[in-house]
Amino acid sequence: AQSVTQLGSHVSVSEGALVLLRCNYSSSVPPYLFWYVQYPNQGLQLLLKYTTGATLVKGINGFEAEFKKSETSFHLTKPSAHMSDAAEYFCAVTYYGGSQGNLIFGKGTKLSVKP
Amino acid sequence: GAVVSQHPSRVICKSGTSVKIECRSLDFQATTMFWYRQFPKQSLMLMATSNEGSKATYEQGVEKDKFLINHASLTLSTLTVTSAHPEDSSFYICSATTRAGREQFFGPGTRLTVL
């Protein structure tokens, strides 16, 4: 069975500081991993995804994530936070050949950015 | 490309009435659509998966007679909440994927409030 754990339901950083949102997954087969961002009362927007190939994945808005198989992690980072980054972030996992309905979400991490 | 819309974005109804929510893929054919429910400050919970032209597959614990899903065309799926009650108040999000894709494209969500 697959699962996703996001450490920290709430992360607060200062504007310009490093953003690090943690995601660990559990999967018995090679995973596909996703990070989504959700602004209040809106749907999910894909930030980036890892399927195969390069383990360091770059996404939109300056975010990137690195797939580390040995650590079963897919942490999301951004070198310098911006006020507009304040939102809810969800990590999700599925696997090659799996039904898209098997997209398993973490519980989310709310990112606050202080001026 | 890959835009998914939902209508309405917000609906308030009286207890006992039925509410229909539409999910449309605007620029691609969605062979599979998904319906999620999101409670405040929580993650997305998959309710059901619908494939065009066939009956929806509901997740365990989701009442299929209460949450009617129709996927009549490759660009439209509808979720009808029948005999709505206050506990049905939630944020409902749909997503869609193509036959070849492994990525879900999410709609903006519908906020349902049952009085």
Side-chain angles (χ1 to χ4, degrees), chain A residues 25-111:
Chain A
Y25 69 91
S26 172
S27 178
S28 58
V29 296
Y32 284 2
L33 295 156
F34 304 80
W35 273 102
Y36 292 91
V37 61
Q38 184 181 34
Y39 296 98
N41 293 310
Q42 294 188 28
L44 272 66
Q45 181 182 10
L46 180 67
L47 279 176
L48 49 78
K49 62 181 177 181
Y50 167 80
T51 54
T52 59
T55 56
L56 181 61
V57 181
K58 295 185 185 298
I60 61 172
N61 301 339
F63 285 94
E64 63 181 37
E66 185 171 11
F67 169 60
K68 291 187 176 181
K69 184 178 178 181
S70 61
E71 298 177 9
T72 61
S73 68
F74 191 58
H75 302 330
L76 181 70
T77 61
K78 181 174 180 177
S80 177
H82 192 272
M83 296 297 291
S84 61
D85 295 326
E88 188 90 22
Y89 291 80
F90 293 96
C91 181
V93 63
T94 186
Y95 58 93
Y96 176 78
S99 163
Q100 278 294 303
N102 284 340
L103 194 59
I104 307 299
F105 286 90
K107 293 188 175 181
T109 298
K110 182 177 181 180
L111 175 66

